[in-house]
Amino acid sequence: MRSSARPLAALLAALTLTAGLFATGAPASARANDVVPAAEASDVSLAADTYDWKNVRIDGGGFVPGIVFNRSEKNLAYARTDIGGAYRWDQAGKQWTPLLDWVDWDRWGWSGVVSLASDSADPDNVYAAVGTYTNSWDPNNGAVLRSSDRGASWKAAELPFKLGGNMPGRGMGERLAVDPNKNSVLYLGAPSGNGLWRSTDSGVTWSEVTAFPNPGNYAQDPTDTSGYGNDNQGIVWVTFDERTGSAGGATQDIYVGVADKDNTVYRSTDGGVTWSRIAGQPTGYLSHKGVLDSANGYLYLTLSDTGGPYDGGKGRIWRYATATGAWTDVSPVAEADTYYGFSGLSVDRQHPGTLMATAYSSWWPDTQIFRSTDSGATWTQAWDYSSYPNRTNRFTQDVSSVPWLTWGANPAPPETSPKLGWMTEALEIDPFDSDRMMYGTGATIYGTENLGNWDSGSQFKITPMVKGLEETAVNDLASPPSGAPLLSALGDIGGFRHTALDTVPGMMFTSPNLTSTTSLDFAEASPNTVVRVGSADAAPHIGFSTDNGSNWFQGSDPAGVTGGGTVAAAADGSGFVWSPEGAGVHHTTGFGSSWSASTGIPAGATVESDRKNPKKFYGYRAGTFYVSTDGGATFTAKASTGLPAEGNVRFKAVPGIEGDVWLAGGSATGAYGLWHSTDSGATFTKLSGIEQADSVGFGKAAAGASYQTLFVTAKIGGVRGVFRSTDAGTTWTRINDDAHQWGWIGAAITGDPRVYGRVYVSTNGRGIMYGDSSDGDGGGTDPGTDPGTDPGTDPGTDPGNPPGDAACSVTYKVTNQWSGGFQADVTLTNTGTAALDGWQLGWTFADGQKVTQMWNATPTQDGTKVKAASISWNGKVAPGASVGFGFTGTLTGGNAAPAAFALGDEACSTG
């Protein structure tokens, strides 16, 4: 089950939009450049380092409520997630490419995607309706993003209302649709009583369809006062009958699904001018999906008595004959035999009359998938009972590529492990390949490439089709000095011991199985000793390991524990301090067979351990710092002043140095920033120039540095991002960029104690990101001087024939290419002994390519000649350091890489 965690403290309303430096080797990037852009940072003491960012592989981990295939181009498909962005299918690699990593801290809600639409008239166009919550949890309105290069870059039209990518009913849809005959026309179904909206200029502007009569009235829980369960789920899908239009003319017949059990389907027969409820339609249910088989004129509805994605106790499937107006109940089972609702729905575009549907809310013993080859007259199902409780499956299931999908379970029949799925609200048959089908679950995307075996009587094979799609919400991270490089605490699937960053772990933490791990720690001097705490359906809420997280055993709970809270391990592993939900702070020696209440510290405090003295522990609550010197038995409040009394606060002690503590956090309405103590919290010093900070971590020291490398998620010099310091916070390097922002990233950050520059960053829905520096071992401390604004030398010389050689090298890489366009990354490395103070790189395109958008550099192009100039904050490039930028472009023929590059009027080497 996946509940999709939201950021803490009402989700950190209204932080600052930022700009940054592009890193190489990245997925597609973008900017929402129809909204007011952020002001560029003025002169700040920041250096630039190019980082290569990747996901720590888990593969999936969250709910995929929508899959969309383009109807006119083979192998073009998209997936949407509730909090983790949107993805495009890469057929060559059989993996997904993330498209919304550019979403920034301030607009974190745009990582929630409530609907996707791919333009069948022009496959380069794709649209996404974004926004995570319709209530106060999300401070921003929703938007419709539009891309003319398949999601490589985006523009945004901000809406006058919010959208709910992580709200109840998010599996219904698609709410966003492009007119297949006149692709400048789009429709969007809005929640919260905001009605039906239309754009007639390809998504640039939107207006309400005032003639549409019904904004919906269904809410999951009308008694809820939070704005979550009691929100009107609104207009839930839009479907066109493409037969009622011709190329260039608006489609006349449009069908719209409404969250109203008595009036769930409406139609327009005049291109959206007038609308009416279709007579004879089923009542008592909500239509989750409405799909029209244009070959035979049947509109199919999958219905449930609730909006999902978790609930649903009864459901039906109905068919509407558009030619005659006749409605027919074509449900595969009698209503009395359903204990679930129907949602996932797809028709086979190669074989009219073939359709499939899912019982999305059949949690036990498994979900069910139904298939009909005669327009719903008869059905078969993915599994049947042979003799209860034994099952006969039409499929085989191989999860060896993502082995944790078994959850380590060995259930009794009729349950199986792995399961076919749950929350199966998305199912799509490839419109070009009847053998390929994909469907989303609460944890992954499954699919098959031999679906035709279903009808022939042999088994078809189901495997995960989720590589590249990372959707976990990350609560905590730890990188021990020995053993596995990373341990993770995750929402919904517990967490993992990551022995290799590019390999899917074999199994999540078990014994106990925690639904969400909220905190974990290891003993600094004995890294094989690990502790974790989290949510569980029943006690215990804590587990211990003595082999670096490979194997676990259960601890016991103090009385009253209801949730994980935070936990800390003594530096030598001799004891632990736990601040759980539902009970006060407790301490233990050994492995938690019994607990004693700590004194002098309030319930709900965050706890951490000193990384040198095994008897010393720290706590923090509401502006007060606490210290224990007796293993957590008693705590003393320190007199430090000026610390944040509200907002999220996270702190950590530096490995190997007693009493050295860094504290990050606060809120925009009070104290907010980064503080440092060298006396166990007796006094703290606030670092100047750091306007906001949210998490702090440590990694291997740079060459020649005596202090651990610091990493923070912060706002420094007006810039929001991920920062590194190798000189104890005197100067800072921003190491992420516009293309890599990942929305809200405030929960956890840690460096790697064994690899200089490597950092692990938590996200709330995009999994664990890790970055590696191109800066070698660091070469000492960060330069930290004013990057200046000097554009460098005169760029007038033809870069294809420069007169001299410069101390620079350039790497040029095409990272994505499609019909008529491409994306490329460029890395410029200073190979000399003096710093670059402003740079301008030039080249000539051999095939006449044109730059359409560039990030982290300013472009100019004259014919085939291109120049990219540094921006105000990344012009300073230290000896041995690199700077990167990226761009999208158009092409009409070949796409050969430039043969030569020039820095000013001197040639760079290429590599």
Side-chain angles (χ1 to χ4, degrees):
M1 176 176 176
R2 180 164 195 274
S3 57
S4 299
R6 64 185 178 93
L8 302 174
L11 302 159
L12 299 177
L15 298 175
T16 303
L17 181 65
T18 63
L21 171 69
F22 185 78
T24 61
S29 60
R31 297 186 186 209
N33 57 7
D34 273 13
V35 294
V36 178
E40 283 198 2
S42 57
D43 288 349
V44 292
S45 294
L46 299 178
D49 182 19
T50 303
Y51 259 62
D52 182 19
W53 291 99
K54 298 177 181 178
N55 269 110
V56 176
R57 278 193 69 186
I58 295 169
D59 284 17
F63 180 35
V64 181
I67 299 169
V68 175
F69 278 89
N70 186 276
R71 293 272 302 279
S72 62
E73 181 174 317
K74 189 175 183 179
N75 295 323
L76 180 57
Y78 297 89
R80 62 179 173 94
T81 69
D82 48 8
I83 61 172
Y87 294 79
R88 184 184 62 245
W89 179 251
D90 169 20
Q91 177 64 20
K94 292 197 173 182
Q95 61 188 353
W96 297 93
T97 299
L99 302 177
L100 298 184
D101 283 359
W102 55 272
V103 171
D104 58 82
W105 178 279
D106 193 40
R107 292 183 177 88
W108 58 264
W110 288 8
S111 293
V113 184
V114 72
S115 192
L116 275 173
S118 182
D119 185 351
S120 59
D122 184 349
D124 285 342
N125 295 332
V126 62
Y127 301 86
V130 298
T132 301
Y133 298 101
T134 60
N135 63 0
S136 62
W137 298 343
D138 191 333
N140 295 306
N141 283 339
V144 176
L145 307 180
R146 65 189 188 277
S147 173
S148 58
D149 52 17
R150 306 177 186 228
S153 61
W154 297 87
K155 296 180 180 179
E158 192 164 351
L159 299 167
F161 51 83
K162 297 182 179 184
L163 294 176
N166 198 35
M167 294 290 289
R170 59 191 179 272
M172 296 194 280
E174 294 291 319
R175 298 171 184 256
L176 182 64
V178 185
D179 190 321
N181 291 302
K182 189 174 183 179
N183 66 346
S184 60
V185 175
L186 293 91
Y187 284 86
L188 171 68
S192 313
N194 289 303
L196 182 67
W197 287 66
R198 178 170 53 210
S199 173
T200 58
D201 55 8
S202 301
V204 177
T205 60
W206 291 83
S207 59
E208 186 176 3
V209 181
T210 56
F212 193 81
N214 187 353
N217 61 16
Y218 174 80
Q220 180 191 67
D221 180 7
T223 67
D224 179 19
T225 59
S226 70
Y228 185 76
N230 61 334
D231 185 55
N232 176 5
Q233 294 181 14
I235 313 298
V236 298
W237 55 261
V238 180
T239 295
F240 294 90
D241 186 346
E242 63 260 37
R243 303 169 304 166
T244 63
S246 57
T251 300
Q252 295 302 292
D253 288 8
I254 311 166
Y255 297 85
V256 172
V258 180
D260 178 343
K261 290 186 178 182
D262 294 321
N263 310 280
T264 196
V265 187
Y266 287 77
R267 177 176 62 180
S268 173
T269 58
D270 53 13
V273 176
T274 61
W275 301 84
S276 61
R277 178 187 185 275
I278 301 179
Q281 66 181 265
T283 59
Y285 291 97
L286 303 174
S287 57
H288 278 225
K289 300 284 193 298
V291 176
L292 195 143
D293 190 337
S294 56
N296 55 32
Y298 285 138
L299 173 71
Y300 297 96
L301 306 181
T302 45
L303 301 115
S304 175
D305 57 353
T306 68
Y310 311 113
D311 52 6
K314 290 292 180 181
R316 309 305 293 151
I317 301 176
W318 280 71
R319 184 183 72 203
Y320 176 67
T322 59
T324 66
W327 285 96
T328 305
D329 185 342
V330 295
S331 303
V333 295
E335 184 176 30
D337 293 334
T338 62
Y339 54 92
Y340 47 77
F342 294 97
S343 183
L345 175 64
S346 184
V347 300
D348 187 339
R349 303 295 175 180
Q350 299 294 316
H351 296 93
T354 294
L355 66 151
M356 297 179 70
T358 68
Y360 78 96
S361 55
S362 177
W363 287 84
W364 190 93
D366 207 343
T367 198
Q368 186 62 274
I369 301 175
F370 301 90
R371 181 175 172 88
S372 173
T373 58
D374 53 12
S375 301
T378 61
W379 296 83
T380 51
Q381 52 195 48
W383 58 270
D384 295 276
Y385 288 114
S386 50
S387 58
Y388 188 86
N390 299 312
R391 284 168 43 171
T392 300
N393 296 332
R394 293 182 182 270
F395 61 91
T396 62
Q397 196 168 4
D398 178 2
V399 298
S400 58
S401 63
V402 190
W404 60 261
L405 283 168
T406 67
W407 257 260
N410 187 27
E415 283 192 280
T416 63
S417 183
K419 281 193 170 186
L420 194 59
W422 57 91
M423 296 165 61
T424 50
E425 295 225 56
L427 181 147
E428 293 294 330
I429 303 170
D430 186 334
F432 293 91
D433 183 356
S434 298
D435 268 335
R436 180 160 69 171
M437 176 269 290
M438 298 181 184
Y439 67 97
T441 79
T444 193
I445 295 177
Y446 280 125
T448 181
E449 293 183 328
N450 62 343
L451 182 60
N453 286 7
W454 182 312
D455 301 326
S456 67
S458 56
Q459 289 181 308
F460 62 98
K461 182 179 181 180
I462 293 176
T463 60
M465 291 186 176
V466 73
K467 182 181 179 182
L469 193 154
E470 298 286 347
E471 202 194 345
T472 49
V474 185
N475 296 323
D476 202 2
L477 297 169
S479 184
S482 61
L486 184 67
L487 306 172
S488 63
L490 306 177
D492 299 320
I493 60 172
F496 295 92
R497 181 178 189 260
H498 303 270
T499 57
L501 304 181
D502 59 353
T503 301
V504 177
M507 190 53 56
M508 68 274 288
F509 298 139
T510 58
S511 298
N513 285 74
L514 301 176
T515 53
S516 291
T517 301
T518 56
S519 176
L520 57 80
D521 195 16
F522 63 89
E524 188 67 43
S526 181
N528 280 344
T529 301
V530 188
V531 61
R532 60 185 169 91
V533 295
S535 305
D537 295 332
H541 295 80
I542 188 167
F544 297 94
S545 173
T546 57
D547 57 7
N548 195 243
S550 295
N551 298 281
W552 294 84
F553 55 92
Q554 300 177 356
S556 64
D557 286 4
V561 171
T562 59
T566 57
V567 70
D572 63 356
S574 59
F576 304 87
V577 172
W578 185 14
S579 178
E581 295 177 18
V585 178
H586 284 69
H587 68 99
T588 187
T589 55
F591 293 102
S593 58
S594 64
W595 294 88
S596 300
S598 302
T599 61
I601 186 171
T606 301
V607 295
E608 296 282 356
S609 64
D610 189 86
R611 311 309 281 183
K612 180 71 172 179
N613 183 342
K615 292 295 185 181
K616 187 173 287 188
F617 288 84
Y618 305 109
Y620 190 85
R621 173 78 171 172
T624 301
F625 195 81
Y626 301 85
V627 179
S628 172
T629 57
D630 55 7
T634 61
F635 282 82
T636 302
K638 295 299 180 180
S640 301
T641 60
L643 297 177
E646 57 184 17
N648 295 310
V649 174
R650 296 165 180 83
F651 67 95
K652 289 184 180 179
V654 177
I657 307 175
E658 183 175 351
D660 196 319
V661 178
W662 291 81
L663 183 147
S667 72
T669 58
Y672 204 169
L674 182 67
W675 287 261
H676 185 208
S677 174
T678 57
D679 54 11
S680 301
T683 60
F684 277 92
T685 301
K686 189 177 190 293
L687 273 70
S688 62
I690 300 182
E691 297 136 79
Q692 300 174 356
D694 294 276
S695 58
V696 60
F698 316 105
K700 183 179 180 180
S706 59
Y707 197 80
Q708 294 246 330
T709 299
L710 292 174
F711 295 97
V712 294
T713 56
K715 180 181 179 183
I716 302 176
V719 178
R720 251 286 171 191
V722 182
F723 293 88
R724 183 192 71 200
S725 175
T726 60
D727 53 12
T730 302
T731 58
W732 295 92
T733 298
R734 187 187 181 204
I735 57 175
N736 75 317
D737 51 77
D738 284 358
H740 303 85
Q741 300 192 75
W742 316 295
W744 192 82
I745 54 173
I749 190 171
T750 185
D752 191 309
R754 289 170 273 184
V755 181
Y756 167 75
R758 177 171 291 174
V759 62
Y760 305 97
V761 180
S762 70
T763 77
N764 188 56
R766 268 289 285 121
I768 307 164
M769 306 304 306
Y770 77 98
D772 281 323
S773 171
S774 64
D775 196 17
D777 63 2
T781 59
D782 290 336
T785 54
D786 185 348
T789 57
D790 183 0
T793 56
D794 182 0
T797 307
D798 181 354
N801 188 27
D805 292 324
C808 55
S809 66
V810 174
T811 300
Y812 178 96
K813 181 181 179 182
V814 174
T815 58
N816 198 5
Q817 186 167 321
W818 55 92
S819 177
F822 70 106
Q823 178 181 334
D825 295 349
V826 183
T827 303
L828 169 65
T829 301
N830 181 0
T831 59
T833 58
L836 297 177
D837 191 2
W839 49 267
Q840 187 152 324
L841 187 69
W843 68 86
T844 297
F845 278 131
D847 296 321
Q849 302 97 315
K850 299 288 186 182
V851 173
T852 56
Q853 181 185 34
M854 185 174 288
W855 46 94
N856 305 307
T858 301
T860 57
Q861 183 165 0
D862 182 9
T864 60
K865 298 177 181 179
V866 180
K867 297 178 178 64
S870 60
I871 54 180
S872 61
W873 58 270
N874 70 357
K876 188 83 168 185
V877 185
S882 300
V883 65
F885 59 92
F887 65 90
T888 55
T890 60
L891 51 84
T892 56
N895 194 21
F901 294 86
L903 190 63
D905 60 356
E906 296 184 335
C908 296
S909 62
T910 57

